[in-house]
Amino acid sequence: MRIEKDSLGELALPATAYYGIQAERARGNFDISNHTIDELPVFIRSIAEIKKAAALANSKIGALDHEYCRAICKAADEIIEGKMQGQFPVDILQGGGSTSTNMNVNEVIANRANEILSGQKCYSPIHPNTHVNMGQSTNDVIPAAIEIACYRYSVELEKSLCYFEKALAKKTEEFKDVVKVSRTCIQDAVPITLGQEFSGYRDFIRRHIKLLNQSVINEKLCLPLGATASGTGLGTFPGYMEEVYKYLQEVTNIEVEQNKNLFDGLQNGDFYIRLSAFLKSLATGLGKIARDLRIMSSGPRTGFNEINLPAVQPGSSIMPGKINPVMPELINQVAYQVCGNDVAISMSVEGGELDLNVWEPVIIKNLTESFTILTKSLPLFADLCIAGITANKEVCQKYAESTLANATVVSAILGYETGTKVAKKAHATGKSVKEVVLEEGILSEAEVETLLNPLIITDYKQSSRIIGMKKIAAKE
């Protein structure tokens, strides 16, 4: 064991621990969730990168000894490389506006830097506050680190989205000639192709890829670093502001710039709201796709049975042979969780008071979870579900031919009342619209084969041209 001191007294810590007394106090005070900041390696890496950039900037302007700077940078690099895993025991949920998180990192860097210099874990000559935290405050370090982490999360999510989009694009092409019935208000509507249905899913993903690139990946990160406690920059040295962003960009390889108004940067969390709203938008759309697949694959004998989902595991502990749509159901649960996280993030941002938002532990926890479960689930959804979907073409064709909405063609040519009479008779007799039209002599057999061909109906250019010509002829 070793003894460390702070303003409240002394505590014994394991000799092997690089974290210090403030992290240890926080570990005991906030031990509630069984989840620690050690589980947020991207976030911890971002804080360490800020510490390294600050040390380089302070050294450049002469505020920090060059030897101290080298030791701090080496210790920070070890965190960045993941070598200090297990040294961040503070609960993710914590009071104090993430001061415990910031100090946990400061202490690990200080202890390791002094070990590099002297072989001992201690706070001499390098102190966690005086040197590692030089020119910084928890209040500007944490929001800056959250934004850097979210940028990296966005890059990984974009890769998963592109992978998923390719799977949907392949099915859009594969199913382009599989005619089926559309459904509105969960009732039979006009014929479409399964490929057209999948094209809607594909373009939803394409749109979100574009939005993610426009709003985050291709934009400079606007950070409040340098604001220190309240936005005035108190505690920084001349030249620090100019240098720290140069080094931060070099260390992170991310384009960054300082928030034009540092008070705004500390007070407001609209960046988190926009990001969480994007994640919610993506999640709800994915949930809708998943629900559609569950409905279309329902059965197989008493449901829609339009498509087959790949069987990835047995579905029942009691019913032999039952297969459940477990991958779509996974996505639905991901969507519910992301929406729940969005509520927590929204409340946390709205709950900011005066010159600082102290609820950032909840914000980073929930943003991290939303990004993570979306990024991980998309490739699984693509590989274990989308890629293996097959169409029951005969079933789809039958539904397309039997829908009463095919009377829309009659309505377009001869008026709504005629179309309605055809649909009502077809419903009452159990016959198809095609059969009723022939029976009533409304159209010739040749015209019926063309005008009421479900595949032609799905093609706007073909159907509108043919219907238009027939309408003109009918008037004449």
Side-chain angles (χ1 to χ4, degrees), residues 11-121:
L11 278 181
L13 289 103
T16 55
Y18 285 94
Y19 60 86
I21 187 169
Q22 291 201 42
E24 179 65 10
R25 289 191 190 282
R27 188 174 70 84
N29 289 338
F30 310 129
D31 184 18
I32 61 164
S33 74
N34 292 324
H35 296 285
T36 70
I37 58 172
D38 207 57
E39 298 172 32
L40 307 178
V42 178
F43 178 47
I44 297 299
R45 171 188 174 182
S46 300
I47 299 174
E49 288 171 330
I50 289 171
K51 302 299 175 181
K52 181 177 180 179
L56 290 167
N58 283 316
S59 177
K60 176 73 177 294
I61 64 176
L64 180 67
D65 180 88
H66 294 312
E67 187 179 14
Y68 294 0
C69 175
R70 283 194 295 272
I72 289 172
C73 288
K74 186 173 181 180
D77 280 338
E78 291 182 6
I79 295 175
I80 293 166
E81 293 164 10
K83 294 179 180 178
M84 285 293 177
Q85 193 78 23
Q87 294 298 323
F88 305 99
V90 179
D91 200 288
I92 291 176
L93 298 178
Q94 54 188 266
S98 294
T99 297
S100 298
T101 295
N102 186 40
M103 284 308 304
N104 192 163
V105 177
N106 285 337
E107 290 173 337
V108 170
I109 291 175
N111 274 314
R112 178 61 183 136
N114 284 309
E115 188 177 57
I116 290 167
L117 293 177
S118 66
Q120 300 292 321
K121 295 183 184 73

Side-chain angles (χ1 to χ4, degrees), residues 241-351:
M241 296 285 201
E242 292 74 19
E243 295 299 328
V244 72
Y245 279 87
K246 295 177 186 176
Y247 284 114
L248 186 59
Q249 186 158 308
E250 181 182 305
V251 169
T252 61
N253 198 30
I254 298 170
E255 286 194 73
V256 294
E257 63 182 0
Q258 190 177 65
N259 195 305
K260 291 181 175 61
N261 186 324
L262 294 175
F263 301 97
D264 170 34
L266 296 190
Q267 291 173 14
N268 301 306
D270 47 299
F271 172 80
Y272 310 136
I273 291 288
R274 291 194 301 275
L275 202 53
S276 183
F278 167 83
L279 296 172
K280 179 175 70 172
S281 173
L282 173 60
T284 52
L286 288 170
K288 193 268 181 186
I289 293 170
R291 188 170 295 103
D292 286 355
L293 297 181
R294 290 173 62 223
I295 293 172
M296 286 191 281
S297 67
S298 61
R301 295 193 174 182
T302 61
F304 282 22
N305 194 30
E306 293 177 335
I307 61 173
N308 304 302
L309 303 184
V312 297
Q313 65 184 59
S316 174
S317 62
I318 186 172
M319 293 174 280
K322 189 173 188 290
I323 301 296
N324 292 331
V326 294
M327 298 313 296
E329 288 173 348
L330 171 69
I331 298 302
N332 286 130
Q333 291 176 85
V334 167
Y336 303 151
Q337 187 62 62
V338 171
C339 289
N341 290 348
D342 179 69
V343 172
I345 292 165
S346 299
M347 292 178 66
S348 298
V349 171
E350 191 277 335

Side-chain angles (χ1 to χ4, degrees), residues 212-232:
L212 189 59
N213 276 284
Q214 288 177 337
S215 60
V216 182
I217 296 174
N218 294 332
E219 288 292 311
K220 274 189 177 182
L221 285 185
C222 192
L223 308 177
L225 195 63
T228 65
S230 297
T232 63

